Amino acid sequence: MHCTCKLSDSVYWTGGCDRRMALFENLFPIPHGITYNSYLIMDEHTALIDTVDASISRQFLENVLHTLNGRPLDYLVINHMEPDHCANIEELLLRFPDITLVGNAKTFALMRQFYDFDFTGHMLTVKEKDSLGLGSHTLRFYLTPMVHWPEVMMTYEETEKLLFSADAFGSFGALSGNLFNDEVNLEQDWLSEVRRYYGNIVGKYGIQVQSALKKLSLLDIKMICPLHGLVWRSRLDQLFHQYDLWSRYEPEEQTAALFYGSMYGDTENAINILAHGLAGAGVKNICVYDISNTHVSTLIAEVFRCSHLLLAAPTYNNGIYPVMANFLHDMKALNLQNRTIGLLENGSWAPAAGRQIQAMLQEMKDVKVLDPVVTVRSSLKGETLSQLDRLKENLLLSLSL
Ligand code: FEO
């Protein structure tokens, strides 16, 4: 049975949700599911903006066919050729033999790579700022490469001022009926997932996101319609501001995120002492994570939020405790920069993690490591406690507290 939603008198949401899949991209936990958005414009010509993942094809097709109500689909606009949005192109070609696929040169190159179906004679290749009239609606195309793949473009509908933004401004999380951001508790239920999605999916491409934001700043946008998560029709300035901060690798808050790996609780003990010390001195919104028990995508989201990081790990096989090494690898891969970092290593006979973590941090841009690097030998003793206290004082100084 169909399940659609209206954005306006002539624009419909025809997407769907998957609450069964455990890992998005077979990598990221999605305990609250995922939404794949698709939008249908009903005008003199009909145009669908993107399709959905194979997991919800049946729901999607019912939604599209119900909304079309017997009319043919004239255009399919493909803003992003990643398979979570492209699994139904062939099905639409089979059902609507006169359909025109709208994409750019890179879109069609990727389509040939992923699929074997023949779309000769169905292509409309667009370039930057080309337009497509549908009747009373006009679509205009803006190329936004690497947000999140090279072929990505955004489509702006000029009459209703809708921005179909591909992955940008998306989120993990399935909809609970409410489609619009002003119908939900954003702070409680969505913003941390918007941040986790940005940091892990788009975070690497800050420069390209800045270029896209520059283009978008010239448009009068009433609604942002991403491929995942909520449709935004209020607080757009806040969303743009957060994207601006994240893509410049500026923290949202002057606060500390403490990340530890701990085999027997001694490293954890040091971090708890430090966290209470920081809180006692007035630092707010501190977060503490046992990185062995927290998915790295959540850790990355907190790095995007916080100005100061504390990394604490045992030495393991003469190297860095594996979960910390993985976390650092992700930070570097996602181009994380511009953070102040305190370090604590633990090693019972040959502590080496601190030095090796510093070497990895040196490969990142604008990362400052505070003195001292605290060395715990097995468990906290008087000398280590005074090192920890000095690190706390330097963290507070750096936080201007
Ligand atoms: Fe939701 Fe980059 O695909």
Side-chain angles (χ1 to χ4, degrees):
M1 231 4 230
H2 68 87
C3 170
T4 59
C5 215
K6 271 183 148 185
L7 277 73
S8 71
D9 285 344
S10 47
V11 182
Y12 296 78
W13 176 82
T14 49
C17 298
D18 185 348
R19 298 183 186 83
R20 294 185 176 193
M21 186 164 66
L23 298 173
F24 180 71
E25 293 185 359
N26 216 2
L27 201 58
F28 302 104
I30 42 170
H32 309 295
I34 185 87
T35 307
Y36 302 104
N37 291 326
S38 162
Y39 306 92
L40 182 54
I41 301 174
M42 299 292 287
D43 202 328
E44 285 171 34
H45 299 285
T46 59
L48 185 69
I49 316 290
D50 292 295
T51 82
V52 299
D53 188 74
S55 60
I56 59 159
S57 291
R58 185 174 165 197
Q59 179 71 69
F60 162 75
L61 286 168
E62 286 178 2
N63 291 347
V64 171
L65 296 175
H66 171 82
T67 308
L68 284 169
N69 195 21
R71 290 183 61 187
L73 182 60
D74 298 316
Y75 295 102
L76 169 63
V77 175
I78 301 158
N79 284 322
H80 186 13
M81 252 315 291
E82 191 160 3
D84 57 331
H85 308 292
C86 292
N88 297 275
I89 298 173
E90 183 177 19
E91 182 69 26
L92 292 176
L93 271 167
L94 291 169
R95 285 174 184 258
F96 301 104
D98 295 325
I99 194 171
T100 298
L101 307 180
V102 183
N104 56 69
K106 287 181 179 163
T107 315
F108 294 115
L110 279 172
M111 202 178 294
R112 285 187 195 94
Q113 284 180 209
F114 273 108
Y115 302 114
D116 293 323
F117 57 79
D118 181 14
F119 51 92
T120 316
H122 289 276
M123 282 176 286
L124 174 61
T125 305
V126 295
K127 300 185 296 302
E128 176 77 5
K129 289 193 185 170
D130 279 357
S131 67
L132 174 64
L134 302 176
S136 64
H137 294 81
T138 302
L139 304 179
R140 196 169 295 278
F141 307 101
Y142 293 87
L143 304 185
T144 53
M146 301 319 297
V147 189
H148 140 242
W149 277 17
E151 86 298 354
V152 167
M153 60 184 194
M154 297 189 193
T155 299
Y156 178 64
E157 197 293 301
E158 295 184 335
T159 307
E160 301 202 50
K161 305 184 190 312
L162 310 176
L163 178 72
F164 299 99
S165 62
D167 277 342
F169 311 112
S171 173
F172 297 122
L175 299 175
S176 300
N178 297 116
L179 176 64
F180 298 101
N181 72 303
D182 56 12
E183 299 174 329
V184 300
N185 188 331
L186 265 184
E187 275 74 15
Q188 179 184 292
D189 298 328
W190 285 91
L191 287 186
S192 62
E193 287 295 74
V194 172
R195 185 187 296 111
R196 187 167 72 99
Y197 181 86
Y198 177 86
N200 289 279
I201 306 296
V202 195
K204 180 178 182 62
Y205 304 110
I207 290 171
Q208 294 85 348
V209 172
Q210 280 288 307
S211 304
L213 289 176
K214 201 172 284 179
K215 286 185 188 184
L216 300 184
S217 70
L218 303 174
L219 304 178
D220 180 14
I221 299 167
K222 295 279 184 266
M223 236 185 258
I224 297 177
C225 311
L227 286 176
H228 299 285
L230 299 164
V231 170
W232 293 71
R233 62 181 180 187
S234 66
R235 297 171 66 169
L236 301 193
D237 285 348
Q238 180 195 343
L239 187 60
F240 284 129
H241 174 63
Q242 287 199 291
Y243 260 60
D244 181 46
L245 286 179
W246 293 334
S247 55
R248 287 186 293 111
Y249 303 97
E250 290 284 338
E252 287 171 64
E253 284 187 62
Q254 290 293 308
T255 188
L258 280 51
F259 304 100
Y260 69 86
S262 187
M263 295 164 67
Y264 299 106
D266 293 299
T267 306
E268 178 182 21
N269 181 223
I271 290 305
N272 281 332
I273 290 169
L274 181 60
H276 285 291
L278 293 172
V283 183
K284 305 262 191 322
N285 293 335
I286 304 166
C287 59
V288 175
Y289 288 96
D290 178 345
I291 64 173
S292 296
N293 294 320
T294 312
H295 192 267
V296 69
S297 63
T298 298
L299 310 179
I300 289 291
E302 292 291 45
V303 173
F304 271 88
R305 181 175 71 86
C306 301
S307 59
H308 289 66
L309 317 177
L310 194 292
L311 306 178
T315 300
Y316 200 86
N317 289 332
N318 290 331
I320 305 169
Y321 195 51
V323 282
M324 180 60 79
N326 181 52
F327 179 28
L328 287 160
H329 175 268
D330 252 23
M331 281 173 58
K332 181 169 182 295
L334 291 166
N335 216 3
L336 250 306
Q337 43 194 278
N338 188 30
R339 292 296 185 274
T340 302
I341 300 185
L343 294 179
L344 183 146
E345 65 177 351
N346 198 338
S348 293
W349 61 93
R355 183 171 29 85
Q356 294 184 31
I357 291 173
Q358 272 184 296
M360 289 184 77
L361 292 174
Q362 273 168 9
E363 295 173 21
M364 300 176 206
K365 208 172 152 197
D366 295 331
V367 165
K368 180 184 173 200
V369 176
L370 292 171
D371 280 331
V373 173
V374 178
T375 299
V376 177
R377 284 189 175 267
S378 305
S379 68
L380 279 179
K381 305 288 180 202
E383 165 57 16
T384 346
L385 271 172
S386 58
Q387 274 186 38
L388 192 61
D389 203 49
R390 276 170 47 218
L391 178 59
K392 181 192 80 181
E393 292 304 324
N394 284 338
L395 266 167
L396 291 171
L397 269 179
S398 177
L399 283 161
S400 305
L401 283 168

